[in-house]
């Protein structure tokens, strides 16, 4: 059974980013529970920002789960990336993402490698950049596995990375890793830009799909854009996907409406509490 999740962003630099709640952790959890979500997806400034005892008690108090944790603040606030040509920066990126892998893993939740994957810069071969990415994912994957959590790799659209933009390309690359513990995050906003047929891409990726960013064509809540959802939900059901549909969307027209709209869409497509 698919479950619903909503994003809470704790990073001041990302206040214009595609996250529903930009309040405090406590307020975000209360708002998520109030709107009827099963889980939260957290975007912290760094792993130490959140105290695991506090998070555990907030989740228990509100009957929520931790769906996943994003690592993108490493890129946003410190320009760290796993494919930076400077080995020291790659090491800092690995430490930054690794700390989030460990923290999330304590909750049985995956960390997300999205913006932190970086890109192939001018003057560096694609082969070299992919070798660096492979090396880092081959360290982070087993680190998550030790905590019984997968690691999520997210293909982004062409304006954000030139590494992998489609599920098929990314999946083929993941096949070349030593670790079997990296799964794909399907962000429906990126997929709408890059995939010829989102449903077919999901079917082809099959059991590799580990998480979904539930966003419409314009990165608003599902139902506020023009992505046709029926074939996508059908495809997710056909591959037996039972993870989260997580609203990583702009808080437009405001956070409450984006949350309400998401939960209504979730109930329309998946069912659940009224
Ligand atoms: C992260 O999940 C993502 O989708 C990127 O576009 C960064 O916002
Ligand atoms: Mn995303």
């Amino acid at each position: 059974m698919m479950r619903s999740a909503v994003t809470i962003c704790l990073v001041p630099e990302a206040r214009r980013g595609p996250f529903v709640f930009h309040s405090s952790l406590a307020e975000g959890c209360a708002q998520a529970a109030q709107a009827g979500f099963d889980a939260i997806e957290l975007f912290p400034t760094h792993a130490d920002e959140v105290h695991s005892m506090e998070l555990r008690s907030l989740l228990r108090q509100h009957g929520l789960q931790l769906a996943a944790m994003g690592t993108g603040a490493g890129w946003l606030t410190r320009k760290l990336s796993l494919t930076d040509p400077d080995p020291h920066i790659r090491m800092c990126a690995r430490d930054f993402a690794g700390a989030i892998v460990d923290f999330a893993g304590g909750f049985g939740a995956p960390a997300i490698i999205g913006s932190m994957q970086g890109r192939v810069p001018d003057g560096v071969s694609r082969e070299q950049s992919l070798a660096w990415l492979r090396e880092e994912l081959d360290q982070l994957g087993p680190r998550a596995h030790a905590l019984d959590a997968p690691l999520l790799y997210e293909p982004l659209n062409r304006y954000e990375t030139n590494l992998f933009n489609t599920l098929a390309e990314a999946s083929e690359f993941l096949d070349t890793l030593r670790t079997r513990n990296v799964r794909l995050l399907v962000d429906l906003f990126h997929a709408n830009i890059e995939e010829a047929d989102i449903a077919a891409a999901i079917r082809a990726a099959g059991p590799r799909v580990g998480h979904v960013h539930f966003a419409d064509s314009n990165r608003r809540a599902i139902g506020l854009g023009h992505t046709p959802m029926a074939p996508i939900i059908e495809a997710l059901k056909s591959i037996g996907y039972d993870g989260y549909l997580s609203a990583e969307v702009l808080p437009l027209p405001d956070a409450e409406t984006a949350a309400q709209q998401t939960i209504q869409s979730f109930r329309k497509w998946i069912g659940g509490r009224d």
Side-chain angles (χ1 to χ4, degrees):
M1 188 66 181
M2 288 179 243
R3 286 154 292 162
S4 61
V6 65
T7 44
I8 300 176
C9 173
L10 304 177
V11 186
E13 290 89 340
R15 66 185 171 280
R16 288 184 208 290
F19 307 101
V20 174
F21 297 123
H22 293 256
S23 38
S24 66
L25 179 61
E27 211 175 309
C29 285
Q31 289 169 299
Q34 167 76 22
F37 285 93
D38 298 315
I40 57 160
E41 180 177 319
L42 207 51
F43 190 72
T45 310
H46 49 78
D48 300 338
E49 181 182 25
V50 184
H51 297 283
S52 65
M53 292 282 279
E54 185 198 356
L55 179 57
R56 220 171 278 286
S57 97
L58 282 168
L59 293 175
R60 193 178 317 115
Q61 179 189 340
H62 293 292
L64 294 163
Q65 301 287 314
L66 181 65
M69 259 172 109
T71 62
W75 165 252
L76 200 62
T77 67
R78 294 173 58 194
K79 291 291 170 273
L80 300 177
S81 107
L82 298 172
T83 54
D84 194 287
D86 181 339
H88 176 71
I89 295 184
R90 293 202 300 281
M91 189 188 73
C92 292
R94 181 195 313 153
D95 286 349
F96 184 95
I100 293 181
V101 165
D102 294 345
F103 185 95
F107 290 80
I112 299 168
I113 304 300
S115 312
M116 283 289 271
Q117 67 190 270
R119 52 168 35 249
V120 187
D122 289 341
V124 173
S125 71
R126 180 170 178 83
E127 207 181 6
Q128 175 64 79
S129 294
L130 294 186
W132 286 329
L133 181 63
R134 186 177 292 115
E135 193 180 318
E136 300 304 334
L137 293 180
D138 265 330
Q139 298 213 22
L140 294 171
R143 192 161 165 173
H145 188 252
L147 294 159
D148 251 345
L151 180 72
L152 297 171
Y153 172 77
E154 177 175 20
L156 304 175
N157 74 67
R158 66 191 69 186
Y159 307 106
E160 296 187 38
T161 190
N162 54 7
L163 288 165
F164 299 107
N165 306 125
T166 65
L167 298 181
E169 294 170 324
S171 198
E172 199 181 317
F173 171 72
L174 296 184
D175 284 341
T176 71
L177 301 182
R178 281 195 308 275
T179 175
R180 298 287 88 213
N181 196 39
V182 185
R183 300 178 76 190
L184 285 171
L185 194 170
V186 182
D187 183 322
L188 296 175
F189 165 74
H190 298 304
N192 172 66
I193 296 171
E194 298 295 346
E195 303 291 351
D197 180 335
I198 301 177
I202 288 172
R203 281 178 213 275
R208 270 264 192 235
V209 178
H211 196 70
V212 173
H213 278 160
F214 199 49
D216 216 319
S217 54
N218 49 6
R219 221 168 201 182
R220 295 195 184 196
I222 293 286
L224 298 182
H226 59 69
T227 300
M229 281 308 291
I232 294 175
I233 299 296
E234 189 84 348
L236 288 168
K237 286 182 176 162
S238 80
I239 62 168
Y241 178 69
D242 67 352
Y244 289 100
L245 297 182
S246 183
E248 189 192 60
V249 301
L250 296 162
L252 294 174
D254 55 66
E256 283 67 31
T257 312
Q260 286 302 332
Q261 173 65 37
T262 295
I263 209 77
Q264 274 170 28
S265 295
F266 181 85
R267 286 175 187 155
K268 169 177 171 188
W269 294 109
I270 309 298
R273 300 175 273 172
D274 276 321

